[in-house]
Amino acid sequence: MARISASVYCSHVPAIGVAIDQGKTQEPYWQPLFKGFETSKAWLKEHTPDVIFLVYNDHATAFSLELIPTFALGMAAEFMPADEGWGPRPVPVVQGHQELASHIAQSVIQQDFDLTLVNQMVVDHGLTVPLSLMFGQPAAWPCQVIPLHVNVVQYPAPSGQRCFQLGQAIRRAVESFDQDLNVQIWGTGGMSHQLQGARAGLINRAWDNQFLDRLIADPAGLASLPHVEYVREAGSEGIELVMWLIARGAMADVAGGPAPRVHHRFYHVPASNTGVGHLILENPR
Ligand code: DHB
Ligand code: FE
């Protein structure tokens, strides 16, 4: 039986990818950020899963205003890094897991979540920056990855509650897969940032840290936050944080199991325009 061993949460600022790709991680501006991921990289080396179920958002790269799927599951054998304007990032091609993705599609759709199934898709910084932060610069990504894109770019975005419930359905799907696989679920994007308009540059440290507190200890309560609070407190792009609730909803305690262990927690400002948050939660065996 497959199982979800841990969940990982982190922001996806494109400039972080540029700093890695251009060898700038030890420059004074970036060094404190990358230091916060050293423990995480060591942990992941020791706890490399078979598959990462990676919840992220595309930024009008693979999708556009022509087609706006709320939840889009990546079914392909591989996903190429996207050209976001400066050429594709020099990172490995993402290898999917078609059997598990097919099983998750079957199970989650039969649990009444109407996923869009995507057989061909390029992946942008939303997916590749978290992989780079956690794995560094390997020649190949050390495990397979199933992408789940969530629309948080064009309103209406799904509610936190819906995301939290989807996470629970994904856990049931993974646990009913009959191969013995170690699966991690990652929730990415956020934390507070606003990239346009009168409040461009907004960052809210206090709110971000309270979000991390509640994500650990009160995820069900946190799931009931309305969109307007994300936007008011964390800026227009702070809405990316609803994706973290999908990963959190897939943890064992939500289904009556033991509380997760907090392996690592980190928060850093500045990184471009974004409050960077990071958390590793492990399910006790
Ligand atoms: C930034 C953050 C994002 O989440 C994004 O998608 C693009 C840019 C930033 O802080 O620069
Ligand atoms: Fe983003």
Side-chain angles (χ1 to χ4, degrees), residues 12 57 59 125 193 240:
H12 69 207
N57 71 286
H59 300 75
H125 70 272
H193 60 306
E240 288 178 344

Coordinates of all heavy atoms in Angstrom, one line a residue, residues 12 57 59 125 193 240, ligand 2:
H12 N 7.6 30.0 -3.8 CA 8.2 29.7 -5.1 C 8.7 30.9 -5.9 O 8.7 30.8 -7.2 CB 7.1 28.9 -5.9 CG 5.9 29.7 -6.3 ND1 4.7 29.1 -6.5 CD2 5.7 31.0 -6.6 CE1 3.8 30.1 -6.9 NE2 4.4 31.2 -6.9
N57 N 0.9 26.2 -8.5 CA 0.1 26.9 -9.5 C 1.0 27.4 -10.7 O 2.1 27.8 -10.5 CB -0.7 28.1 -8.9 CG 0.2 29.3 -8.6 OD1 0.9 29.3 -7.6 ND2 0.2 30.4 -9.4
H59 N 1.5 30.0 -13.7 CA 1.3 31.4 -13.8 C 1.0 31.9 -15.2 O 1.8 32.5 -15.8 CB 2.5 32.2 -13.3 CG 2.8 31.9 -11.8 ND1 3.4 30.7 -11.4 CD2 2.6 32.6 -10.7 CE1 3.5 30.7 -10.1 NE2 3.1 31.8 -9.6
H125 N 7.9 28.2 -12.8 CA 8.6 28.3 -11.6 C 7.8 27.9 -10.4 O 8.4 27.5 -9.3 CB 9.1 29.8 -11.4 CG 7.9 30.8 -11.1 ND1 7.2 31.4 -12.1 CD2 7.4 31.2 -9.9 CE1 6.3 32.2 -11.6 NE2 6.4 32.1 -10.3
H193 N 2.4 38.3 -0.4 CA 3.0 39.1 -1.5 C 1.9 39.7 -2.3 O 0.9 39.1 -2.5 CB 4.1 38.4 -2.3 CG 3.7 37.2 -3.1 ND1 3.1 36.1 -2.5 CD2 3.8 36.9 -4.4 CE1 2.9 35.2 -3.4 NE2 3.3 35.6 -4.6
E240 N -2.2 32.3 -3.0 CA -1.5 31.1 -3.3 C -1.5 30.1 -2.1 O -1.4 28.9 -2.3 CB -0.1 31.4 -3.8 CG 0.0 32.0 -5.2 CD 1.4 32.3 -5.6 OE1 2.4 32.4 -4.8 OE2 1.6 32.5 -6.8
Ligands
FE2 FE 3.4 32.8 -7.7

